[in-house]
Amino acid sequence: MSIGGYQIALLRGQTPTSATLNKTKLGDYNIHFVIDIPTQPTGKTPRVIGVDLGRRDIATTSTGESWSGEQIQNLRDRYSKVRAKVQSKRTRSSRRLLRRLSGRERRFQEWLNHNISKQLVQESKQLNASLAFEDLTNIRQSLNTKPRSKIERRRTNNWAFYQLRLFVGYKANITGVRVIFVPPAYTSQTCSRCGHIHPIKGKSYRNGKVFKCGHCGFEHDADINAAKNIAALGLSVSQPESPGMTCQLQGQMSLFGMLDLG
């Protein structure tokens, strides 16, 4: 077999308990090995790293780490243009080309998500911290209900956040890192310093990559600000006795709802 270094490392020294060979709709073959890997027990920790997921930056942490999505987005856009030209030909060679393009895109996305998830789990282990993510269930359906261009709709549908979450999940399980999920509401609109959001409905203190609070004047990278809010919500789940995350909305103090799906 010709397999990647990551898979070789996982299989080295292991005795597979079973294997399944599958043929995909595109005619490719995949083999799935099952191996037993001991896992470490997870527990409460005094620290939580928040992770904000996106398309422009695939992942941004509350500690300031960030992974750009520019390379994978450019690759998808380029392959999308090639596919549009090739699909109209309907020849055997064009179908082979489409399969190769699909395989290259898929493998690069998997390689990228494996690397990001590995670094996220490693940092959490080193800092003895849990990882907190937004619960993005049904996010694609929600985004696609809004007026969007064809390109933006395609980019949203290709967003591989769920794969990244799966990779983080099993790596975290092996190393004993706890993964927490919190509601996504207002995490990108709230000031991580003073807890305020814009008092006018439909407006936000966030402008692209910049977040500037109109209440306390705090200015920061918008994704890091969101990740800090996710971390605060995650801490409320991990440590219920903590003060949690509060927001000031039109002068009224309210506590953000918390949700633990981990």
Side-chain angles (χ1 to χ4, degrees):
M1 292 184 301
S2 176
I3 58 178
Y6 179 82
Q7 287 76 15
I8 291 174
L10 284 180
L11 290 171
R12 185 176 292 122
Q14 302 291 336
T15 302
T17 59
S18 65
T20 304
L21 182 66
N22 295 325
K23 184 178 181 180
T24 69
K25 293 181 179 179
L26 296 175
D28 299 323
Y29 287 91
N30 296 320
I31 187 166
H32 302 275
F33 291 104
V34 177
I35 58 176
D36 290 327
I37 299 178
T39 60
Q40 300 295 323
T42 59
K44 294 182 179 179
T45 66
R47 186 170 185 179
V48 175
I49 297 176
V51 184
D52 181 58
L53 301 180
R55 290 201 339 247
R56 181 184 303 174
D57 289 326
I58 297 174
T60 303
T61 70
S62 53
T63 58
E65 298 293 332
S66 182
W67 291 267
S68 174
E70 182 179 2
Q71 189 176 5
I72 183 64
Q73 191 61 71
N74 290 340
L75 181 72
R76 285 176 178 152
D77 289 345
R78 187 169 73 252
Y79 281 3
S80 177
K81 292 178 181 178
V82 174
R83 276 193 292 266
K85 293 180 180 178
V86 173
Q87 282 174 341
S88 60
K89 296 183 179 180
R90 299 179 180 273
T91 63
R92 183 177 298 178
S93 61
S94 67
R95 288 194 293 270
R96 286 199 298 267
L97 176 58
L98 288 175
R99 286 199 294 271
R100 288 199 300 271
L101 293 178
S102 178
R104 289 173 188 171
E105 185 177 338
R106 183 185 68 253
R107 288 192 295 271
F108 182 73
Q109 179 69 76
E110 289 178 354
W111 175 85
L112 194 60
N113 280 337
H114 271 306
N115 277 275
I116 295 172
S117 59
K118 180 180 179 181
Q119 293 176 63
L120 286 171
V121 172
Q122 283 180 340
E123 182 183 14
S124 300
K125 189 66 176 178
Q126 291 170 357
L127 298 177
N128 188 29
S130 299
L131 281 171
F133 293 84
E134 294 173 306
D135 178 19
L136 297 177
T137 304
N138 298 322
I139 186 65
R140 286 195 182 94
Q141 293 88 326
S142 176
L143 289 174
N144 284 333
T145 58
K146 302 175 182 179
R148 301 168 72 79
S149 68
K150 184 177 180 180
I151 293 177
E152 282 301 305
R153 188 177 295 271
R154 173 180 57 78
R155 288 175 175 175
T156 297
N157 291 334
N158 287 335
W159 185 17
F161 69 89
Y162 185 67
Q163 184 188 73
L164 176 58
R165 240 175 53 179
L166 287 178
F167 289 174
V168 168
Y170 83 77
K171 288 181 175 68
N173 191 35
I174 292 172
T175 56
V177 171
R178 188 184 182 195
V179 178
I180 302 166
F181 296 102
V182 302
Y186 300 107
T187 54
S188 63
Q189 302 176 40
T190 304
C191 176
S192 60
R193 174 180 287 177
C194 71
H196 276 75
I197 66 174
H198 202 290
I200 301 176
K201 186 176 180 179
K203 292 192 175 184
S204 174
Y205 291 136
R206 175 170 183 163
N207 183 14
K209 280 287 290 178
V210 178
F211 183 94
K212 185 173 183 179
C213 180
H215 179 76
C216 70
F218 176 66
E219 186 172 348
H220 207 353
D221 178 276
D223 294 328
I224 296 178
N225 178 74
K228 287 181 178 293
N229 289 330
I230 295 168
L233 284 172
L235 186 62
S236 298
V237 173
S238 179
Q239 304 286 339
E241 66 278 5
S242 71
M245 177 179 176
T246 60
C247 68
Q248 293 269 4
L249 178 58
Q250 296 179 346
Q252 299 295 319
M253 183 73 75
S254 62
L255 182 65
F256 274 9
M258 281 83 71
L259 178 65
D260 184 7
L261 303 177

